[in-house]
Amino acid sequence: MSFIHQLAKVSACSLTLMLSAVSAASAAVPEGPAGDAFYAPPSALPAGKRGSPVYARALDGTMRLPSAGKNTLLLYRSLDDKGRPVVVSGTVSIPEGKAPAGGWPVINWTHGTTGLNEICAPSRDTDKGPEHPYIEVISNLLDNFVKQGYAVVATDYQGLGVAGFHPFLQGVPNAHNALDIMRAARALEPQIGKRYAVVGHSQGGQADLFTAAKGPSYLPEFKLVGNVAFAPGSQIAKRLESVMTSDKTELSLPYVLYVLQSYAKTDPSIDLSRILTPQAIAHLPDLHEQCMTHALSTGYWASAIAKDQFVAKPDLKNFLKMGAKNEPGTLKISVPTLVVQGSADVTVFPATTDALTRQLCAKGNVLSYKVFAEADHQGSMVSGQTAALEWVNARFAGKPTANECSALPAAAKR
């Protein structure tokens, strides 16, 4: 019997009432079209509040968690990078069997970098998808939570899935998308409860921390119990500085260019022509072709020398202001946080996450930090999943957690 099933049992009477409510709620959400047409919202979108479903249908593809009793593809309303209404896609997976009293506890998943193109959304992935190896690791991780009796909700974020601008590494809009899917999921499946933990990786690790910080005020009817950030992105200014001075090809370069484009789109005072060379600007559209793996391995950006992409005296003032607003180390989070990092990660550097944990501790957060020797970027999810699951189980059970801020480990090799 799973951890959650040990916590509570539902009487036959209450289950009957719950199933009746589920049938009524599911019938109230229109069924969306098959195939990629699902991701094109109706031109005349009915009025609705943020967190309300647009339509739904059965989910196919890699994010269809095999241990779930039901997997749903969902289109819902949220807020964009400027606080305006936007339609976002995502997935909802609920366990088999009877929900415990109060409904299924929720894992709110925030995914890592897949790209800037709408085809890069995790919900659109198949076994031949452009980011399938990464999405498969995510699916395996999340399926283990479902096996333990958790419902899983997973946003694609604005601009992925549904075509449009994706505010890459922007904490607040990504957090809004993650939080709004919980309201939409409960409207679709009332057997989903109101207690949740946020779990994310990489870009989604940064989004996870913002989601946890903003959740209690943005979504007050839900109860946050904790959050887990695997290899969270941070130290934005330092990453830009390291790329601008490198005379090599850099794995970090496409990520940095993703951030530059994202911030400049939201804040027009960030002038890319005063940061990047004309040649670099001419090749920015290449980063919107296919997804992240393509950007790292194919064409101009796979062989570009990093420092040669920047003008001699770049104007970074406004970019750095926006970068500072998106630093997760500035956040105060009301619940315990677990950070997981692999010491062999070459995407989110171990020293970067070491710095982030110190910053979070300086803000008075209750923090646990788990380092896994020789784990790479995706490997932190593989090596750390058992520890993360146990930690999350303890938070839902209401157990106290030790604050490790007085004796933080170091992921960076010395």
Side-chain angles (χ1 to χ4, degrees), residues 58-323:
L59 173 66
D60 299 317
T62 309
M63 286 296 288
R64 187 178 185 278
L65 305 181
S67 298
K70 186 177 181 182
N71 290 279
T72 304
L73 179 61
L74 182 63
L75 214 62
Y76 64 99
R77 295 167 179 84
S78 188
L79 299 179
D80 71 4
D81 57 304
K82 291 183 168 61
R84 302 169 302 196
V86 67
V87 176
V88 181
S89 57
T91 60
V92 179
S93 302
I94 58 174
E96 294 181 342
K98 300 177 181 180
W104 297 114
V106 180
I107 298 299
N108 190 327
W109 170 255
T110 50
H111 70 82
T113 306
T114 55
L116 301 178
N117 192 311
E118 64 265 22
I119 66 171
C120 308
S123 73
R124 296 179 76 148
D125 184 58
T126 68
D127 58 1
K128 296 181 181 179
E131 298 302 312
H132 177 65
Y134 175 59
I135 307 302
E136 188 173 37
V137 175
I138 291 174
S139 178
N140 291 335
L141 171 70
L142 297 180
D143 196 57
N144 284 327
F145 280 101
V146 170
K147 288 177 183 177
Q148 287 288 304
Y150 293 100
V152 174
V153 300
T155 182
D156 287 328
Y157 308 133
Q158 170 195 342
L160 301 181
V162 179
F165 165 60
H166 172 45
F168 179 78
L169 217 67
Q170 293 193 35
V172 171
N174 290 174
H176 287 165
N177 297 166
L179 292 163
D180 285 330
I181 197 175
M182 291 205 301
R183 276 185 174 166
R186 285 201 82 243
L188 180 73
E189 303 284 357
Q191 60 196 332
I192 292 175
K194 292 185 177 181
R195 300 175 71 223
Y196 72 106
V198 190
V199 183
H201 174 249
S202 193
Q203 172 195 357
Q206 185 241 21
D208 158 89
L209 293 165
F210 273 87
T211 302
K214 303 300 182 183
S217 59
Y218 187 80
L219 216 63
E221 72 269 31
F222 286 78
K223 175 66 175 178
L224 177 66
V225 302
N227 74 288
V228 180
F230 291 95
S234 72
Q235 320 308 316
I236 298 166
K238 288 186 178 297
R239 182 60 63 92
L240 173 62
E241 180 183 358
S242 69
V243 168
M244 289 175 57
T245 57
S246 173
D247 59 0
K248 303 175 182 178
T249 59
E250 289 285 348
L251 178 69
S252 297
L253 182 59
Y255 292 94
V256 167
L257 294 169
Y258 277 16
V259 180
L260 283 167
Q261 292 177 86
S262 169
Y263 290 7
K265 179 72 173 179
T266 297
D267 182 359
S269 70
I270 300 171
D271 185 352
L272 294 184
S273 69
R274 300 180 67 181
I275 300 173
L276 299 171
T277 65
Q279 185 178 29
I281 290 175
H283 283 282
L284 288 179
D286 300 0
L287 296 171
H288 296 259
E289 295 177 4
Q290 295 191 36
C291 300
M292 174 53 78
T293 299
H294 183 270
L296 295 173
S297 61
T298 306
Y300 180 82
W301 296 110
S303 59
I305 299 302
K307 68 180 181 63
D308 293 344
Q309 312 311 310
F310 299 89
V311 299
K313 294 182 179 180
D315 178 7
L316 299 174
K317 180 180 178 181
N318 292 323
F319 172 83
L320 293 175
K321 285 182 180 178
M322 191 165 180

